[in-house]
Amino acid sequence: MGRHSLPDGHRTAASDPRPRGRGRAVALVTALVLVVAAGAAVAVRAGFLPLGASCRDDAVRLDVAAAPSVTPALKDAADHVRDRDITSDGHCIDIRVAAREPYEVADEIRRDSAKATYDVWVPDSQVWVQRAGIGGSQARVSPAGNIASSPIGVGMLESAAEELGWPRKTYTWSRLAGASAREDAPRLGAADPARSASGLLALTRLGASARASGAEDADTRTAATAKALASRTSDSDSRLLDSLARDSSGAERGNPRRNEALILSEQASFAHNASADDEHDLDLFYPKDGSPALDYPYTLIRENDLSTDESRAALRFMTFFGERAGLRILAEHGFRTDGARPSAELVTAAGGRTPQPYAREPGEAPSDKEVQEALGMWTITVQSARFITVVDTSDSMRRLVPGRGESRMDVTKAALLQALAGFSDDDEIGLWEFAARLDGARDHRELVPTGRLGDRKGDGTQRDRLTKAFGALRPVPGGATGLYDTTLAAYEKAREGHAPGKFNTLVLLTDGVNQDPGSISRAELISRLRALADPEKPLPIIAIAVGPDADEREADQIARATGGSGHEVDDPAQIHSVILKAIVQAGTRR
């Protein structure tokens, strides 16, 4: 595709042709030598300059686990330190660097940091350090600083970039996701956000961008984007690039397994372009509402267990990346060392070009809460679900919703049908209705047994049966709300059918409080739910209190006994988005 022009504002200045006085030059060099000599004497005493090969006899050994993307740079740095006998307190530093996926290390440290076989960990993002720190006193990690950064953007093949108007046309994250959702749009792939910081941080930015747009259905749109991305995710960042179309032929463009655009870091695009021919080069989009960035935290593991020599050597290796040689090595591998003034050569090699906002500082990093919510939303949204929907059909559901001219039941049915459309054929859903004494002495009735939406039985699928059953829901004349007995029975039923590997839940919708005097009490219900709840087989209740007569506090108490949450909606039309919100909350507690 031809080489890109350099980004604006960072071109190398031309050399000055004017001659300089020889005497002045000599004086300057002499002064510089004296300064360097004095500084070197101090540095040698401090152990920061080479002392010769003899120090190898008592070298300090450091084992470093690093994200695959930064491992080559760290290995080059380790070789530099070793070859030049750079020391710490008079000791050479023998640094061994091994590539490890950050999500694997984070989970390993969280389980038991005492089993870690490395002294230093350099993941690609602070999100992994945060994850590793969850799990109590055993997870001991000590971030010491950040050695580099790399913004996250969207790398595209030339044909895809031209189709989207690159580089003149710029996009927000939300608009870019919308454009890629078109049926004829370039296929967009990402690495699994549960295993990739690039994927996870981009997902948080997609959500923030959608909310900033002011759309009322921002969360739902983000979930829909996540669902679409889920079908095109790779296990890791390294495998993501393997999903790229190999050429511009019609066969490759028509291959559903090949992506034409990828969410990835600038450094990953730089590394890819360094080894690709022109036809396979990536052009790099930088969304105009800001890119999150990988920040490569340098982290000590079990710092208190390190000897003084090991601790000081580890910190000495980190400071090397602030020195000229360390900065040069990082730049050679495509990392930014000054986010405010990115290297023009780096940006160009990564596929950047004006007017794309490559030099914009990354926005404020997402909070731990935002990251956990995004990860929870991803985990639950893309994972197959199994749940029972339990709908209140008491007489009060015939009341009109203010300002709509429709009954609570009519609006609830429409919301449930909308929600049903968002689930895949692999999801398993069942339907119950309840009202006091609905089925003899029982307050509940199973209308559609829980089953896979895509399974066929007779003339239709499970989805068809649910659609028909939702449409047939009717308030029971004179029916009271039999809430407590129904909740317990439905929870027991859902627990019996718990499906490993799926998101299991019970969705309970009611517009009132319990009105069955012969039922168990609220206290007994909560006590029995707590006894039934099993952390190894999570089954949270999502309780939705519909309308002014329902008790949100009670709904929340009941749901929280199982690790779920209660919510209140004035308008049943909000049910769809509330279910999604509750699923996200449940996911963050897992």
Side-chain angles (χ1 to χ4, degrees), residues 4-271:
H4 306 310
S5 62
L6 289 177
D8 297 337
H10 299 290
R11 301 183 187 277
T12 304
S15 59
D16 189 340
R18 290 174 295 172
R20 300 291 183 183
R22 177 179 176 84
R24 182 183 177 194
V26 171
L28 287 173
V29 170
T30 302
L32 181 60
V33 168
L34 292 174
V35 170
V36 169
V42 174
V44 167
R45 289 195 296 272
F48 288 161
L49 285 178
L51 292 179
S54 61
C55 73
R56 294 181 186 276
D57 295 337
D58 60 349
V60 179
R61 167 77 176 267
L62 284 178
D63 289 295
V64 179
S69 60
V70 77
T71 293
L74 292 184
K75 285 185 174 181
D76 283 357
D79 289 344
H80 182 97
V81 168
R82 187 181 302 112
D83 293 345
R84 287 160 179 75
D85 289 338
I86 293 178
T87 66
S88 170
D89 290 338
H91 299 286
C92 287
I93 314 172
D94 181 17
I95 303 160
R96 314 289 176 89
V97 184
R100 293 285 308 277
E101 290 291 349
Y103 75 91
E104 292 179 345
V105 176
D107 290 344
E108 183 177 271
I109 293 173
R110 186 175 68 246
R111 287 193 299 270
D112 187 358
S113 65
K115 294 182 179 179
T117 58
Y118 33 85
D119 310 300
V120 175
W121 177 36
V122 187
D124 54 8
S125 173
Q126 180 67 27
V127 301
W128 304 121
V129 178
Q130 193 274 336
R131 180 186 287 190
I134 299 173
S137 59
Q138 290 300 312
R140 289 178 288 165
V141 292
S142 305
N146 302 85
I147 63 170
S149 68
S150 188
I152 297 165
V154 179
M156 297 189 177
L157 294 175
E158 181 181 21
S159 57
E162 288 179 351
E163 190 170 335
L164 290 176
W166 183 92
R168 291 295 165 190
K169 190 169 184 179
T170 58
Y171 293 79
T172 63
W173 280 99
S174 182
R175 284 192 61 209
L176 192 58
S180 66
R182 298 195 317 263
E183 190 171 335
D184 59 343
R187 292 184 295 273
L188 174 64
D192 184 350
R195 298 181 171 193
S196 160
S198 296
L200 178 54
L201 292 173
L203 193 62
T204 65
R205 198 69 196 89
L206 282 164
S209 182
R211 290 189 293 275
S213 70
E216 293 183 2
D217 61 345
D219 289 340
T220 304
R221 286 168 53 188
T222 303
T225 299
K227 196 81 170 179
L229 277 176
S231 64
R232 313 204 63 79
T233 55
S234 301
D235 287 345
S236 64
D237 291 301
S238 56
R239 292 187 177 183
L240 175 64
L241 284 160
D242 292 338
S243 73
L244 200 63
R246 297 190 176 107
D247 55 53
S248 57
S249 68
E252 279 290 273
R253 293 207 67 183
N255 187 340
R257 293 182 174 274
R258 294 294 179 192
N259 293 311
E260 298 158 277
L262 305 173
I263 292 175
L264 78 178
S265 71
E266 180 182 77
Q267 188 276 332
S269 185
F270 175 97

Side-chain angles (χ1 to χ4, degrees), residues 220-518:
T220 304
R221 286 168 53 188
T222 303
T225 299
K227 196 81 170 179
L229 277 176
S231 64
R232 313 204 63 79
T233 55
S234 301
D235 287 345
S236 64
D237 291 301
S238 56
R239 292 187 177 183
L240 175 64
L241 284 160
D242 292 338
S243 73
L244 200 63
R246 297 190 176 107
D247 55 53
S248 57
S249 68
E252 279 290 273
R253 293 207 67 183
N255 187 340
R257 293 182 174 274
R258 294 294 179 192
N259 293 311
E260 298 158 277
L262 305 173
I263 292 175
L264 78 178
S265 71
E266 180 182 77
Q267 188 276 332
S269 185
F270 175 97
H272 170 81
N273 288 351
S275 60
D277 55 37
D278 284 359
E279 184 180 6
H280 298 95
D281 266 4
L282 291 175
D283 293 319
L284 195 60
F285 270 84
Y286 298 82
K288 63 183 180 182
D289 51 347
S291 294
L294 302 179
D295 55 4
Y296 301 92
Y298 189 95
T299 310
L300 304 184
I301 306 300
R302 303 185 319 279
E303 182 179 12
N304 292 339
D305 294 342
L306 297 177
S307 69
T308 299
D309 286 342
E310 289 171 335
S311 180
R312 289 178 65 85
L315 293 176
R316 174 67 188 100
F317 187 47
M318 185 189 77
T319 63
F320 172 75
F321 293 102
E323 299 169 7
R324 180 177 297 177
L327 293 171
R328 174 184 54 77
I329 289 171
L330 289 171
E332 287 174 349
H333 287 273
F335 295 97
R336 292 191 183 192
T337 55
D338 183 354
R341 291 183 59 82
S343 158
E345 290 77 11
L346 187 160
V347 172
T348 301
R353 185 174 175 182
T354 53
Q356 296 290 317
Y358 61 88
R360 177 169 177 166
E361 288 263 25
E364 186 175 340
S367 66
D368 291 344
K369 179 175 181 292
E370 290 172 323
V371 169
Q372 290 304 314
E373 285 185 353
L375 183 57
M377 182 271 290
W378 170 266
T379 302
I380 304 308
T381 301
V382 306
Q383 194 176 34
S384 293
R386 177 185 172 88
F387 63 90
I388 300 172
T389 305
V390 184
V391 182
D392 187 346
T393 53
S394 60
D395 189 63
S396 57
M397 288 291 283
R398 70 175 65 252
R399 294 178 184 172
L400 295 180
V401 176
R404 294 184 67 92
E406 298 174 282
S407 71
R408 294 176 183 173
M409 179 58 78
D410 288 337
V411 179
T412 296
K413 290 190 295 185
L416 289 173
L417 288 169
Q418 181 188 10
L420 180 63
F423 289 93
S424 73
D425 284 350
D426 288 329
D427 295 316
E428 301 175 38
I429 302 176
L431 175 64
W432 287 26
E433 64 174 341
F434 73 97
R437 307 291 177 178
L438 178 66
D439 186 11
R442 295 191 303 180
D443 295 340
H444 53 84
R445 178 188 294 137
E446 184 179 54
L447 298 178
V448 181
T450 304
R452 183 177 173 276
L453 291 180
D455 285 351
R456 299 191 69 86
K457 186 176 182 180
D459 295 333
T461 64
Q462 175 78 351
R463 188 187 299 273
D464 296 330
R465 289 190 290 277
L466 282 167
T467 299
K468 184 177 180 180
F470 283 151
L473 287 170
R474 298 287 184 273
V476 176
T481 305
L483 179 62
Y484 297 161
D485 284 349
T486 298
T487 302
L488 181 60
Y491 195 79
E492 289 174 336
K493 181 74 171 181
R495 190 172 181 273
E496 289 173 5
H498 187 280
K502 291 181 179 286
F503 174 63
N504 294 257
T505 189
L506 179 71
V507 178
L508 178 67
L509 297 104
T510 181
D511 75 337
V513 296
N514 186 67
Q515 297 171 323
D516 182 359

